[in-house]
Amino acid sequence: MMFAIEEINRNPYLLPNTSLGFEVHNVPNGQRATLATLFGSLSGNGYGIPNYRCVREGMSAAVLTGPSWAISEYMGTLLDLYKFPQLSFGPFDTTLSEQRRFSSLYQVAPKDTSLTLGIVSLMLHFHWNWVGLFIIDDHKGAQILSDLRSELEKNGVCIAFVEMILAIRGSFLTTSWKNQVKILESSANVIIIYGDTDSLLSLIVNIKQKLVTWKVWVLNSHWDHSTFDNYFLLDALHGTLIFSHHKEEIINFTDFVQTANPYKYPEDIYLHVLWHSFFNCSFLRKDCKIVGNCLPNASLGFLPGNIFDMAMSEESYNVYNAVYSVAQSLHEMTLNQVHFKTRGKGKKMVFFPWQLHPFLKNTKLINHAGDQVVLDQKRQSHVEYDILNFWNFPKGLEINAKVGTFSPNAPEGQKLFLSSHMIQWATGLTEIPQSVCSESCHPGFMKTHREGEASCCFDCKQCPENEISNETDVDQCVKCPETHYANNEKNHCQHKTVTFLAYEDPFGKIFSIMSLGFSSLTAVVLGVFLKHRDTPIVKANNRHLSYILLITLILCFLCPLLYIGHPSTVTCILQQNIFGLLFTVALSTVMAKTLTVLIAFKITTPGKMRRWLLIAKAPNFIIPICTLLQVVLSGIWLAISPPFINKDAHSEHGHIIIICNKGSAIAFYCILGYLGTLAIGSYLMAFLSRNLPDTFNEAKFLAFSMLVFCSVWVSFLPVYHSTKGKVMVAMEILSILASSTSILGIIFVPKCYIILLRPEWNSLHYIRCTTYARRTNLKPSSHISYIKEY
């Protein structure tokens, strides 16, 4: 205030021929004492009579109050009755901006409309999502708590605890925190403190006394460092981050402070006390003044920062602007009086304080630091904040280093600027501290919230099968497309490999070799039968049916080749229809052979019926009839729902298997049922012929082959339904090969054994001898005639 007044009095362009003066009053605690002091100032020192001015000197032009909002409120209630201009230099308070109660009060400090946004931006910058709050328990604290809670929740930051601080202004006597143990042990390592400088004294003392050195404190105001001297080397507030209104440096202010001394300002008793305490001056306690013997050339600049801070505080900056606002208003009012000639020549200016209001309301000036000063809160713009870092290690350093800024008017993403490398964190911390309720869920995991706890408290669960998360802290994993699969870390979708039962696969190679091998073997058996076609064992049971059966088996063994290789629409259709057609021919041939045996041996009495059946070769009609039925079934299948190419993306991890879809499952099972019916029919007829003479009688072999055939396909069904992909195709191929091999091995291997290794058995002489020796029920002549005929 003294610096501003001296600047104004030296300025010939501001209030020329007029000198500003001031009065300073210390205000005791309490509303009663505050109002008593104010009455004394208005009436005149020593009087204090309401509504009277008891001294000849003129009244003050305005009253500057602060820094506590309570002092400004107490005085504003009374000053508003007289319409006396009042300028509050403390922090902006919404209560003091109520025009009905405080129409004569002007707040110099800017609004903190962007403070909560700045604090939240700081939390997000360091990824702090678990914070505690110390809030002054008054109307300002309630408002900031509401705003801060809303802004924090909107940005995903959770509040670990809220502690409302009841403190008496300027008092060091404070009660312990209600939840002291819970707060000190809380995992929230970042605690936000909101309150004005005066109200925070007791809280700061409490924090220092408990030596809480592992927390990061975020404050909205400064405090007087020298007030908190103690005997600890560590300072619990070292590393504190402070939001301070941005202000430029006032020119010449440091020089003014350095030249201030008790001799230049003898009425300032605080300068006398400082000179006595630090410069060894003799001191007269009665008058609170020094009397000499001082250190020569002593200056406040010699004192360390923790004793006397040379920098201008926020409140001092507001006082500086308040003085200039009053001076500017007085200057404009003087010009207005000159213009309208409201005072006589040579007379000094006479005015009433309430006349200053129109000029104060329209105050808009640029101070010497280049900052704009506006008292009308409606015209105030968003203020910028400096982010300061309190350095006090070792104890006594006490430096507020500027480490960043917050500009609410800047573009999105550029509002907060921080030089993180300059920040000194709390004692014992060497890196950016973490303040989270739960560690972040890395990519590949998702959050599962804990019931009854804040949203920031969660457990991490790995993404389900074929789902990924490629960001941290996701609520839901994303399912990979059908053509992709999740990698082992569940953080990336990879392309699935297109695969099928190829010839290069182990199964493909094995089945190809088996298919070609068995078909070649069957061809060899056919060759053997053709070479020995005139022998009794080949002629028995209709050699032409044997040729048909062997040729069909060759094709059956080659049928699996349709299942191997890249499927196409043609191969998918051929697979099932060729399979059904070939096996129908094979089984109907077996049925015809069985029927041949039954007719030849079962009908022992010669007659027209037997001769007609044998001569007409009735068993041979079974093959085309059964085949025709199979063709009809296949035609219906192709007409209703033919097989098609299908991509199976689920059976095998990381692969898309191209297989043939049956189309109509009912049609497929109908064909299997039809084949089963033929096999069972052949088995029953062969079973009825089991006790007939067994010289070249293959009824037992036919029955056993059909039993094995049915067993293979009955076993196939449950295995087929329990497998997928290439394994399912392999099981179908294996069933085809197994059933074909059973027919070849059981029916034809015994005949080949006799033809190749026991040729003596393959003669009529051996047959006659064997027949008579066994004394069978069938007459040898009949048996011989059967062999000759067939």
Side-chain angles (χ1 to χ4, degrees):
M1 185 171 65
M2 292 169 61
F3 172 68
I5 288 175
E6 288 190 8
E7 271 192 344
I8 293 168
N9 288 338
R10 290 195 305 267
N11 189 348
Y13 303 103
L14 185 60
L15 290 177
N17 302 322
T18 302
S19 296
L20 287 180
F22 64 90
E23 295 179 5
V24 178
H25 296 274
N26 277 337
V27 180
N29 291 335
Q31 186 174 11
R32 182 184 180 89
T34 301
L35 293 177
T37 303
L38 181 59
F39 274 123
S41 175
L42 294 176
S43 300
N45 288 334
Y47 292 94
I49 303 174
N51 301 325
Y52 283 90
R53 180 70 179 171
C54 304
V55 293
R56 292 182 177 274
E57 292 84 0
M59 296 179 64
S60 300
V63 175
L64 276 59
T65 59
S68 170
W69 65 269
I71 294 175
S72 299
E73 183 183 27
Y74 299 157
M75 291 188 175
T77 305
L78 179 60
L79 291 174
D80 190 63
L81 297 176
Y82 301 104
K83 304 301 178 186
F84 205 101
Q86 177 188 0
L87 286 81
S88 171
F89 56 84
F92 189 90
D93 190 287
T94 54
T95 302
L96 300 180
S97 62
E98 296 179 12
Q99 287 297 311
R100 291 183 180 181
R101 294 180 57 195
F102 306 105
S103 60
S104 302
L105 189 147
Y106 304 91
Q107 298 189 73
V108 183
K111 295 180 182 178
D112 278 327
T113 52
S114 303
L115 178 62
T116 54
L117 183 59
I119 293 175
V120 173
S121 298
L122 182 68
M123 301 297 110
L124 297 177
H125 178 82
F126 289 115
H127 305 289
W128 295 331
N129 62 6
W130 187 240
V131 299
L133 298 181
F134 278 126
I135 306 291
I136 291 299
D137 193 6
D138 56 21
H139 65 281
K140 286 179 64 177
Q143 181 61 45
I144 199 70
L145 176 60
S146 174
D147 296 343
L148 197 56
R149 189 191 295 274
S150 174
E151 198 68 34
L152 288 172
E153 291 178 353
K154 186 168 65 175
N155 289 275
V157 181
C158 301
I159 299 174
F161 60 85
V162 177
E163 189 74 8
M164 304 303 291
I165 302 300
L166 289 169
I168 302 173
R169 183 180 60 84
S171 173
F172 289 89
L173 301 176
T174 180
T175 58
S176 296
W177 310 330
K178 297 175 185 177
N179 304 300
Q180 179 175 319
V181 176
K182 178 182 177 182
I183 292 171
L184 294 180
E185 294 179 354
S186 172
S187 58
N189 293 322
V190 175
I191 299 178
I192 301 169
I193 301 177
Y194 181 86
D196 57 45
T197 304
D198 228 13
S199 301
L200 287 179
L201 294 179
S202 58
L203 174 62
I204 300 300
V205 170
N206 212 330
I207 292 173
K208 282 178 167 282
Q209 287 174 348
K210 290 177 174 59
L211 205 63
V212 187
T213 59
W214 60 91
K215 302 287 187 183
V216 177
W217 308 93
V218 178
L219 280 75
N220 72 308
S221 63
H222 298 282
W223 61 89
D224 185 1
H225 312 309
S226 60
T227 310
F228 310 113
D229 285 336
N230 53 42
Y231 300 101
F232 293 106
L233 178 63
L234 302 177
D235 187 354
L237 296 171
H238 172 70
T240 296
L241 296 172
I242 307 165
F243 278 81
S244 174
H245 292 127
H246 174 74
K247 59 182 183 298
E248 298 294 339
E249 185 179 353
I250 300 295
I251 304 173
N252 299 326
F253 177 70
T254 302
D255 296 336
F256 169 79
V257 175
Q258 288 178 340
T259 58
N261 57 64
Y263 305 107
K264 185 177 180 181
Y265 301 104
E267 71 281 0
D268 190 344
I269 63 172
Y270 293 105
L271 289 175
H272 291 269
V273 173
L274 285 173
W275 253 250
H276 167 65
S277 301
F278 298 103
F279 301 124
N280 297 323
C281 298
S282 300
F283 189 68
L284 188 61
R285 292 187 177 277
K286 180 181 179 181
D287 298 326
C288 284
K289 292 186 177 182
I290 59 172
V291 293
N293 301 324
C294 294
L295 185 69
N297 300 322
S299 169
L300 292 174
F302 297 166
L303 300 180
N306 62 321
I307 301 300
F308 190 87
D309 192 356
M310 300 285 287
M312 183 179 286
S313 66
E314 280 194 40
E315 287 80 5
S316 298
Y317 188 73
N318 293 337
V319 169
Y320 179 83
N321 289 333
V323 172
Y324 263 92
S325 298
V326 174
Q328 180 72 25
S329 299
L330 287 171
H331 182 79
E332 292 177 2
M333 187 174 68
T334 302
L335 294 177
N336 186 67
Q337 288 183 349
V338 170
H339 180 74
F340 291 102
K341 299 179 180 180
T342 56
R343 61 173 179 172
K345 185 178 180 181
K347 295 182 180 179
K348 70 177 183 178
M349 182 176 63
V350 178
F351 73 95
F352 296 100
W354 56 265
Q355 293 177 304
L356 201 60
H357 284 302
F359 303 97
L360 284 172
K361 288 180 180 179
N362 295 322
T363 296
K364 188 174 183 180
L365 58 93
I366 305 296
N367 64 18
H368 287 179
D371 291 336
Q372 188 181 64
V373 181
V374 178
L375 295 185
D376 186 359
Q377 63 185 43
K378 295 180 181 179
R379 294 186 296 159
Q380 287 181 346
S381 59
H382 291 288
V383 68
E384 293 186 3
Y385 292 92
D386 291 332
I387 301 176
L388 309 178
N389 186 214
F390 180 54
W391 300 350
N392 198 25
F393 183 80
K395 187 68 177 290
L397 183 63
E398 296 184 354
I399 296 176
N400 283 319
K402 181 179 177 180
V403 295
T405 58
F406 178 75
S407 306
N409 295 321
E412 196 65 37
Q414 303 177 20
K415 297 180 185 294
L416 182 69
F417 172 77
L418 272 178
S419 299
S420 300
H421 64 280
M422 292 180 58
I423 299 177
Q424 291 189 13
W425 299 107
T427 307
L429 299 178
T430 57
E431 55 185 17
I432 298 175
Q434 299 296 312
S435 186
V436 294
C437 181
S438 301
E439 291 294 331
S440 293
C441 292
H442 299 294
F445 292 83
M446 65 178 182
K447 298 190 296 185
T448 55
H449 295 285
R450 299 173 188 167
E451 188 175 354
E453 297 188 33
S455 60
C456 299
C457 300
F458 50 82
D459 296 316
C460 295
K461 179 184 178 182
Q462 192 172 30
C463 290
E465 185 67 26
N466 209 39
E467 293 187 13
I468 66 159
S469 63
N470 53 11
E471 297 178 357
T472 57
D473 294 338
V474 298
D475 293 314
Q476 291 292 334
C477 296
V478 179
K479 194 173 184 64
C480 289
E482 290 288 332
T483 56
H484 293 69
Y485 71 98
N487 60 354
N488 293 333
E489 292 76 20
K490 301 293 184 69
N491 59 6
H492 180 67
C493 286
Q494 297 178 332
H495 279 281
K496 290 182 177 179
T497 305
V498 176
T499 184
F500 48 87
L501 187 59
Y503 289 101
E504 295 79 12
D505 290 346
F507 279 132
K509 292 179 180 179
I510 294 172
F511 290 141
S512 298
I513 294 172
M514 291 176 65
S515 177
L516 295 173
F518 282 116
S519 62
S520 301
L521 180 61
T522 309
V524 170
V525 173
L526 178 61
V528 171
F529 268 59
L530 288 173
K531 185 178 180 181
H532 300 85
R533 58 183 176 276
D534 295 325
T535 60
I537 197 168
V538 175
K539 294 170 65 177
N541 297 104
N542 197 329
R543 60 185 171 187
H544 298 293
L545 292 178
S546 297
Y547 297 156
I548 294 172
L549 181 57
L550 287 171
I551 294 171
T552 306
L553 287 176
I554 292 173
L555 297 176
C556 286
F557 281 123
L558 293 176
C559 184
L561 297 179
L562 292 172
Y563 292 80
I564 304 173
H566 195 292
S568 64
T569 304
V570 175
T571 56
C572 286
I573 293 175
L574 289 177
Q575 279 179 10
Q576 307 306 325
N577 289 279
I578 295 296
F579 156 75
L581 185 63
L582 291 176
F583 271 88
T584 299
V585 173
L587 292 175
S588 60
T589 303
V590 172
M591 181 180 287
K593 289 175 72 67
T594 308
L595 188 59
T596 300
V597 175
L598 190 62
I599 292 174
F601 287 106
K602 200 70 175 174
I603 307 176
T604 57
T605 303
K608 293 183 178 181
M609 178 61 69
R610 176 193 177 207
R611 288 192 172 275
W612 181 84
L613 289 174
L614 292 175
I615 293 171
K617 299 183 179 180
N620 293 345
F621 290 102
I622 293 175
I623 298 173
I625 294 172
C626 294
T627 305
L628 182 62
L629 289 175
Q630 171 60 35
V631 170
V632 172
L633 285 175
S634 297
I636 295 172
W637 185 0
L638 293 177
I640 296 175
S641 179
F644 58 90
I645 298 175
N646 187 32
K647 293 182 179 180
D648 183 2
H650 306 287
S651 299
E652 190 173 338
H653 180 70
H655 294 84
I656 297 177
I657 304 173
I658 301 179
I659 57 175
C660 290
N661 190 294
K662 299 295 187 292
S664 174
I666 296 176
F668 175 67
Y669 292 125
C670 284
I671 287 180
L672 288 182
Y674 178 64
L675 295 177
T677 303
L678 292 178
I680 293 172
S682 300
Y683 171 76
L684 291 175
M685 285 189 288
F687 182 78
L688 294 174
S689 306
R690 69 188 185 283
N691 294 323
L692 296 178
D694 58 355
T695 303
F696 303 148
N697 177 17
E698 58 184 1
K700 293 181 179 180
F701 299 114
L702 294 174
F704 187 60
S705 67
M706 291 298 98
L707 183 62
V708 174
F709 182 91
C710 291
S711 300
V712 169
W713 287 102
V714 169
S715 302
F716 162 78
L717 290 175
V719 177
Y720 180 81
H721 281 288
S722 62
T723 56
K724 293 181 178 180
K726 292 193 293 184
V727 179
M728 182 176 67
V729 178
M731 289 306 304
E732 192 168 353
I733 293 174
L734 189 62
S735 298
I736 292 172
L737 293 174
S739 56
S740 301
T741 304
S742 68
I743 296 174
L744 176 66
I746 296 173
I747 296 177
F748 292 100
V749 168
K751 295 179 183 295
C752 290
Y753 172 79
I754 294 175
I755 293 172
L756 299 176
L757 299 179
R758 293 287 187 268
E760 66 275 9
W761 293 358
N762 191 15
S763 63
L764 291 176
H765 176 73
Y766 178 79
I767 296 171
R768 290 190 186 100
C769 294
T770 304
T771 305
Y772 283 111
R774 291 179 179 176
R775 298 180 183 274
T776 58
N777 294 327
L778 185 63
K779 293 182 178 180
S781 57
S782 299
H783 190 192
I784 293 169
S785 65
Y786 161 74
I787 293 172
K788 285 181 179 179
E789 191 170 358
Y790 292 99

